[in-house]
Amino acid sequence: MRARLGEVELCYELLGPVDGIPIILIAGVYQQLSSWPQPFIDALTGSGMRVLIFDNRDVGHSSRERGPAPSLGAVLGGDLTGVNYMLSDMATDAAGLVRAVGWDSAHVFGHSLGGAIAQRVAIAHPGLVQTLTLMGTGPGDGVTGMVNPDFGPFRTPPPDRSREAITQWLTGFHRFCIQPDPVDEDVLASFVQRQVDRAPNADMQCVQAGVASNHLGLTTTPTHADLLGQLHVETLIIGGTGDRVIAFDGSERLAELIPDSTLVAVERMGHLPLDPSRWQIVTSAIARHVTRA
């Protein structure tokens, strides 16, 4: 299914019981709607949730950015002139999609960069958010939740855009996200193949959007961290203590900043696990959070 939101068209799916509890999942960098592990989706729908998944702008089958991508080095240096969209734009997309499917409000779950987008949804559209869940993300304060320098090779896609090169790159990307959990190479290969078959996403610009948005969030008055302190929505924060992509102290800092928040630390879990037992922990925490609210 597709929804036209101004100049952006988003590809989405609705899963689970029609009269279920509404929840929207906001994915992170290079992640399509097909990137959500199936055990996670099955557990959510099995617990009575109506799950809205979608391709963010510039990924999968949603609208792609046609303007040239700015240099990541320039953006990291503070030059935001070539940035084509911000996380606030992606938050507007998500909020618009909730309304487009006929919901007045929904529970909001964001993972990684999707967690940063979800924060902006809650800040800009508070009446839309029944509860907020943030996983594997940080507050963008420039101090906590920093990206591991070893993740550097996966910030930008390889110059070779062949299917083989993209497959190899995405495999390395996801292997890094799974660790320190053991990596089942057969499961990983099948997962990556599913993404490549659906829509390779080597040109997505949301890394630049995230870096630029963090720059602005540090310099505006109030800062993004200040705005998090003004949230009035029950918030669940889930972090893996073994996360090799976004440091776990970002989850800890979010729990300090956001009133009425609860932190669930999952020992040694990585950034994006594929192990069903990991997702069972996550789903159980979400189900308790949503039903309590």
Side-chain angles (χ1 to χ4, degrees):
M1 294 181 281
R2 308 184 73 82
R4 170 63 66 174
L5 307 171
E7 296 182 354
V8 174
E9 190 173 66
L10 299 183
C11 177
Y12 71 94
E13 293 181 9
L14 278 166
L15 308 168
V18 173
D19 59 348
I21 300 169
I23 184 170
I24 181 172
L25 309 185
I26 307 177
V29 60
Y30 303 120
Q31 303 301 299
Q32 310 175 54
L33 61 81
S34 58
S35 297
W36 296 108
Q38 195 61 46
F40 178 48
I41 297 296
D42 290 343
L44 290 177
T45 57
S47 65
M49 296 187 198
R50 180 68 163 169
V51 181
L52 173 57
I53 56 176
F54 69 106
D55 291 332
N56 279 309
R57 66 163 70 193
D58 211 18
V59 71
H61 295 300
S62 289
S63 298
R64 296 299 187 97
E65 178 56 51
R66 296 184 178 180
S71 161
L72 181 57
V75 179
L76 286 167
D79 180 2
L80 312 185
T81 56
V83 177
N84 295 307
Y85 56 89
M86 297 285 191
L87 296 190
S88 56
D89 298 309
M90 301 178 80
T92 298
D93 295 344
L97 183 59
V98 167
R99 298 186 179 100
V101 301
W103 294 346
D104 294 326
S105 62
H107 300 273
V108 177
F109 173 93
H111 172 260
S112 193
L113 194 70
I117 298 168
Q119 292 170 44
R120 287 159 174 83
V121 173
I123 290 168
H125 308 274
L128 195 79
V129 181
Q130 294 184 31
T131 67
L132 180 65
T133 302
L134 307 172
M135 177 176 168
T137 192
D141 59 5
V143 178
T144 63
M146 300 301 287
V147 176
N148 188 330
D150 291 341
F151 190 69
F154 305 113
R155 281 181 179 267
T156 55
D160 181 354
R161 295 299 201 268
S162 68
R163 182 185 181 90
E164 292 74 19
I166 294 300
T167 299
Q168 183 179 10
W169 176 67
L170 280 175
T171 300
F173 173 97
H174 285 289
R175 183 181 290 113
F176 193 94
C177 291
I178 293 168
Q179 294 169 336
D181 276 348
V183 179
D184 185 318
E185 293 295 340
D186 290 337
V187 171
L188 174 58
S190 177
F191 176 81
V192 169
Q193 194 64 52
R194 182 183 179 194
Q195 314 317 317
V196 174
D197 287 345
R198 182 174 184 266
N201 300 295
D203 298 312
M204 192 179 189
Q205 297 179 22
C206 73
V207 172
Q208 291 92 326
V211 172
S213 297
N214 283 349
H215 274 294
L216 290 182
L218 291 170
T219 58
T220 54
T221 303
T223 66
H224 179 68
D226 292 335
L227 293 172
L228 290 175
Q230 299 171 21
L231 283 181
H232 296 287
V233 58
E234 291 189 36
T235 302
L236 171 67
I237 300 154
I238 302 172
T241 64
D243 195 324
R244 301 177 66 220
V245 179
I246 297 179
F248 174 69
D249 62 2
S251 294
E252 294 177 309
R253 181 58 178 153
L254 282 170
E256 294 171 355
L257 288 170
I258 301 176
D260 300 319
S261 62
T262 301
L263 174 62
V264 173
V266 185
E267 289 299 320
R268 288 187 54 77
M269 184 177 75
H271 187 63
L272 182 60
L274 293 184
D275 183 344
S277 66
R278 292 300 201 186
W279 285 105
Q280 185 57 54
I281 295 171
V282 173
T283 309
S284 296
I286 295 172
R288 289 193 300 270
H289 178 57
V290 166
T291 55
R292 183 171 62 246

